[in-house]
Amino acid sequence: MNADHEAGRRTSPRSRPFALTLLYGAAALTITLAGMRSVADIITPVFLALVITVTVHPVRRALERTRLPAWLVSVVMLVCAYLLILVLTLALTLSVAQLATLIPQYTSELTQRVTDLGGALQTLGVDQEQIDRMVNAIDPGQLVSLVGSLLSGTLGVLSDLLFLFTVLLFMAFDTNGLRRGLAVLADRFPDPVTALAHFTQGTRSYMGVSAVFGLIVAVIDGVVLYLLDVPGAFAWAVLAFVTNFIPNIGFVIGLIPPALIALLEDGPGLMLTVIALYSVINFVIQSIIQPRVVGDTVGLSPTLTFLSLVFWTWVLGPLAALLAVPLSLLMRALLVEADPGASWALPLISGKPAPAGEPMRPEPAPPD
């Protein structure tokens, strides 16, 4: 009888093998990701609206201390959110438009650079057929067309602004109701509410850190490009600010346009100078200092920050590159911090062991 009882316990659902549990989790994850990819056009702007609302929420808290009417506070918060998204959209559009304006002016120079490159490869012993194939592939007309398509795609973002603005409108006026609802739920479900509070704090800290470092990088890059007499220095500085919100590889994206223009303007020497200075300035600040500050601020390791960029861009598209860290913070809050049994994963996520004698779970935070 005892043997049968033990056998029943081993085959009960509560003692399911770990491998089977892992397979169930992988299957659920696959279905979830497929669903997210199918509705990425909805998820991305909605989450962007949430991040913007969280970012400008300190404005609401400051205005609430002045005893202004609640509706007026919501209107001011909404205006701040609208201004923020318009500034970012116009900054990106300005940079792409500047590139689209400059490239056609350098068509002859681009053709000459391609010819010079072919001659250099020939002296190195590269087969002439391969050189001809490469030279024919680098068509200045196609490059101009590519830049034009990029500009059209950037302007196409404007068509999504109406949906984004509508979502921001509802979020701005629903903030107080949501805060009251979370306060009521805090007594019954303290862990999920605390996790969501940590998500809002981490997201706001990340956006603030990225904005500060982005402004520093933009000013330094703009001054350097101006002193080097690279056309469009202001536009490339603005682009450097926007791409700073993309973890780890943002400086590479911001480097391509000014390096290309420098090559066409004054040859490989100026291009290499721009690349060298950008690498020293942007790589040190954006890829070494900033990830460490972000990791200390929001509790994500540099490796996880980079992987989140790749993962969320694959799942939700290019715009998710700007939202990779907030998306990872939300997943950490929902899947780890909200579950007391998953607190063991927090040191792995942050890349730092929990101090001896202290719990691994974060300290409770009030609903924000």
Side-chain angles (χ1 to χ4, degrees):
M1 181 68 68
N2 291 337
D4 293 339
H5 180 67
E6 291 297 327
R9 290 180 57 187
R10 286 195 298 268
T11 59
S12 65
R14 294 184 179 180
S15 57
R16 183 184 299 117
F18 175 76
L20 189 59
T21 302
L22 185 63
L23 289 176
Y24 285 159
L29 178 62
T30 301
I31 295 173
T32 302
L33 293 180
M36 293 179 66
R37 294 193 68 177
S38 65
V39 294
D41 292 339
I42 297 176
I43 293 178
T44 306
V46 170
F47 189 76
L48 176 59
L50 175 62
V51 169
I52 294 174
T53 302
V54 168
T55 302
V56 301
H57 187 70
V59 175
R60 172 182 286 277
R61 290 206 305 263
L63 292 176
E64 286 175 343
R65 301 189 188 100
T66 64
R67 298 183 179 179
L68 290 175
W71 66 268
L72 183 57
V73 172
S74 297
V75 169
V76 175
M77 179 181 175
L78 183 63
V79 170
C80 292
Y82 283 174
L83 288 176
L84 179 60
I85 194 63
L86 284 176
V87 167
L88 291 177
T89 302
L90 290 176
L92 185 59
T93 304
L94 170 66
S95 302
V96 178
Q98 182 71 58
L99 184 62
T101 302
L102 290 174
I103 286 294
Q105 301 176 12
Y106 292 101
T107 302
S108 58
E109 287 83 354
L110 181 59
T111 303
Q112 184 61 43
R113 301 301 177 194
V114 173
T115 303
D116 294 342
L117 177 60
L121 293 176
Q122 187 176 19
T123 59
L124 295 175
V126 179
D127 183 70
Q128 184 62 41
E129 183 179 353
Q130 295 178 350
I131 295 176
D132 293 339
R133 190 181 302 114
M134 184 202 69
V135 171
N136 292 331
I138 307 177
D139 183 5
Q142 292 180 355
L143 182 58
V144 174
S145 177
L146 176 63
V147 174
S149 300
L150 184 59
L151 177 60
S152 300
T154 304
L155 294 177
V157 175
L158 296 175
S159 62
D160 298 328
L161 288 183
L162 179 60
F163 177 63
L164 178 60
F165 283 177
T166 304
V167 176
L168 282 170
L169 173 64
F170 288 110
M171 286 188 176
F173 283 90
D174 284 345
T175 301
N176 276 337
L178 179 61
R179 290 165 61 188
R180 288 193 295 267
L182 289 175
V184 172
L185 292 175
D187 293 335
R188 186 173 181 182
F189 304 102
D191 292 313
V193 173
T194 299
L196 290 177
H198 278 277
F199 158 70
T200 60
Q201 293 171 358
T203 297
R204 193 177 301 118
S205 298
Y206 169 74
M207 298 299 288
V209 169
S210 296
V212 170
F213 278 98
L215 183 61
I216 295 173
V217 167
V219 171
I220 297 176
D221 287 346
V223 171
V224 168
L225 294 175
Y226 177 78
L227 294 177
L228 293 176
D229 202 23
V230 176
F234 176 76
W236 312 140
V238 172
L239 181 62
F241 173 78
V242 175
T243 56
N244 188 66
F245 290 91
I246 302 177
N248 301 105
I249 64 169
F251 89 94
V252 177
I253 300 174
L255 167 63
I256 294 175
L260 177 60
I261 296 301
L263 172 65
L264 300 177
E265 175 71 17
D266 199 27
L270 183 59
M271 180 190 71
L272 294 176
T273 301
V274 170
I275 293 176
L277 293 176
Y278 254 68
S279 298
V280 172
I281 298 170
N282 295 40
F283 180 78
V284 170
I285 294 178
Q286 291 179 285
S287 297
I288 297 179
I289 300 177
Q290 183 176 338
R292 293 185 179 276
V293 175
V294 169
D296 293 338
T297 303
V298 303
L300 293 178
S301 66
T303 300
L304 189 58
T305 301
F306 174 73
L307 292 178
S308 68
L309 166 68
V310 178
F311 176 77
W312 291 115
T313 303
W314 172 73
V315 174
L316 298 177
L319 185 58
L322 297 172
L323 303 172
V325 171
L327 281 165
S328 295
L329 292 177
L330 180 61
M331 291 300 102
R332 185 187 69 178
L334 296 178
L335 302 179
V336 179
E337 293 185 9
D339 181 8
S343 60
W344 58 268
L346 288 174
L348 300 178
I349 294 174
S350 64
K352 296 181 179 180
E358 294 186 10
M360 290 186 290
R361 287 189 55 72
E363 293 297 324
D368 199 3

